[in-house]
Amino acid sequence: MINIYSATRFIQELLKIATSSNATDIHFFPDHTAVLIFFRINGERKYHFKIHHNQYRIVLNHFKFSSGMDIGETQKPQDAALQITFKTTNFNLRLSTLPVKQMESLAIRILPQLHAKALEDLILFRYQVQQLKRIITRKAGVILLTGPTGSGKTTLLYALLEHLLIEQAYQTITLEDPIEKEMLNFLQVQINEKGGMTYHTGLKAALRHDPDLLMVGEIRDQETAEFVFHAAYTGHLVFSTLHAKNAAGTIHRLIEMGIKHIDLCQNLIAVAALQLIPVFYCQQKKRRAAILEILSENNLTAYINSLNESQLIHQTFNELKRKAFAYGYTESATV
């Protein structure tokens, strides 16, 4: 039985098991008789074990109290961030509660505080690594990474910025909600919408701080999108992310947000849409690596002008999956 004194130990043990399994998320799923605990590993949700409702309430309240959530609020969703140190390793946890019929559900995203990975460790095809390295040598403009939640957009952003900082001592400012990894070479700004530090407010302040590179964690609305493109006009290189199904869909999202055709043509350097696929490495062990739909230079300008996907000349996700299968990286061409 978990009590208030052993909740910390239970949480540490749960994190130990989750991280040793390379889990990216922990889900607490209440049903009528117990609370089921699932891990998301390599994109797949896997059952771990279950605990009693009373045990779960103690664990949930411990998380809510430690992260600054309102323990008494059980009828509205809440979000928070929490840092935990376990055996000299720091973890940033993103917490989300959701009221359901039985009680509140809890989802935890695990963000290990490790150095940014090399681009070669994140991207499956080496020629796409080289393509990205060429793209990010530009001095001004907007580079967007797109894809669904959990596709590795922010992880790849950190790796790109780290690669640039190895080459030159750029003044780099990031605006994030939350800050997923603490990086020594970046000036990292925590976005706090409730406290008045919005992406728009943070961008205005960051531009007065003489940056060479700006990283905006996510373009969420028209105001932020317009300011990102304005920053590119003033001679800054801006990296950001956006939720979109594929590279072509990113252009449609930006147009829906009110970004003008001329701004896209003059300032958008590249769009790289990500998908993570399971691949073999090191004696048939599995991990996930990114494949990229990339629009840049001539093919990007041509698509902005025509918005006709049938005329696009670029490798699609389906083509990249077939190539990964042909090279023996994957078990199937339709992963």
Side-chain angles (χ1 to χ4, degrees), residues 7-19 26 28 59-60 62-68 80-95 106 108-114 179-180 182:
T8 300
R9 185 177 299 174
F10 172 84
I11 290 168
Q12 289 182 340
E13 186 64 25
L14 185 66
L15 281 173
K16 176 183 176 182
I17 298 170
T19 54
I26 303 172
F28 292 85
V59 172
L60 176 62
H62 189 282
F63 272 121
K64 291 173 75 172
F65 176 79
S66 301
S67 63
L82 175 66
Q83 186 175 86
I84 288 180
T85 301
F86 178 64
K87 289 189 175 179
T88 71
T89 301
N90 293 327
F91 296 91
N92 272 2
L93 306 181
R94 279 199 323 217
L95 312 176
L106 174 65
I108 302 173
R109 170 66 55 86
I110 303 171
L111 305 167
Q113 295 298 290
L114 305 175
I179 294 173
E180 296 196 3
E182 294 182 5

Side-chain angles (χ1 to χ4, degrees), residues 246-257:
N246 53 30
T250 303
I251 306 302
H252 291 278
R253 284 290 315 278
L254 291 169
I255 292 172
E256 288 173 0
M257 286 182 168

Side-chain angles (χ1 to χ4, degrees), residues 13 28 44 69 80 82 90 110 112 116 137 160 196 229 288 326 335:
E13 186 64 25
F28 292 85
E44 296 183 9
M69 289 186 187
L82 175 66
N90 293 327
I110 303 171
T137 58
L160 288 170
F229 278 82
R288 290 197 297 170
V335 289

Side-chain angles (χ1 to χ4, degrees), residues 72-136:
E73 179 57 74
T74 61
Q75 301 303 312
K76 295 180 181 179
Q78 296 188 72
D79 296 295
L82 175 66
Q83 186 175 86
I84 288 180
T85 301
F86 178 64
K87 289 189 175 179
T88 71
T89 301
N90 293 327
F91 296 91
N92 272 2
L93 306 181
R94 279 199 323 217
L95 312 176
S96 174
T97 65
L98 185 67
V100 292
K101 186 175 181 180
Q102 289 79 20
M103 59 179 64
E104 291 175 284
S105 171
L106 174 65
I108 302 173
R109 170 66 55 86
I110 303 171
L111 305 167
Q113 295 298 290
L114 305 175
H115 292 297
K117 292 184 178 180
L119 294 171
E120 290 78 5
D121 295 330
L122 299 174
I123 299 171
L124 179 59
F125 295 113
R126 293 296 175 262
Y127 72 89
Q128 293 197 317
V129 173
Q130 297 306 316
Q131 189 175 357
L132 276 185
K133 286 181 177 180
R134 288 193 299 271
I135 288 169
I136 63 177

